[in-house]
Amino acid sequence: MAKLKTKIHELRKERNLKQDELAKLVGVRRETIGALENGKYNPSLKLAMDIANVFNKTVEDVFEFIDEN
C-alpha cells in the first residue's frame, strides 16, 4: 500500500506561512492543513493543485506516494 508524503510543512516554513494563512489561501480550515502535514488526510486533486500553486510548484513537487511494501 502506498502512503502519501507531503512537503507542505517545509514549504510553509521556507515562506514563513502559518497553517491558517495557507488554509485561507486555498479555502480550507487550518485543521485540514495540519491533517495533510501529519499524513492523516489525502487531498482532493483540486486542493493538491491549489496548494502546489501557492508555492509555485508542481503537485509532484509537493506530494509524493511512498510504497510501504
Side-chain angles (χ1 to χ4, degrees):
M1 181 178 230
K3 180 178 172 124
L4 186 67
K5 180 182 178 204
T6 77
K7 297 179 183 168
I8 297 171
H9 180 77
E10 294 89 354
L11 292 167
R12 271 195 320 100
K13 292 301 177 188
E14 286 175 12
R15 296 236 178 150
N16 294 316
L17 273 178
K18 294 180 181 172
Q19 284 183 344
D20 63 329
E21 293 170 327
L22 176 58
K24 285 178 187 170
L25 289 172
V26 297
V28 298
R29 296 173 50 210
R30 182 202 55 79
E31 291 84 0
T32 302
I33 300 300
L36 284 166
E37 289 183 359
N38 292 318
K40 296 182 177 170
Y41 177 73
N42 289 338
S44 66
L45 180 56
K46 180 183 182 327
L47 179 55
M49 292 177 79
D50 288 346
I51 290 170
N53 285 335
V54 166
F55 298 114
N56 199 27
K57 302 278 186 190
T58 66
V59 171
E60 293 85 358
D61 289 337
V62 181
F63 299 94
E64 173 182 9
F65 279 105
I66 304 296
D67 191 3
E68 291 186 324
N69 293 330

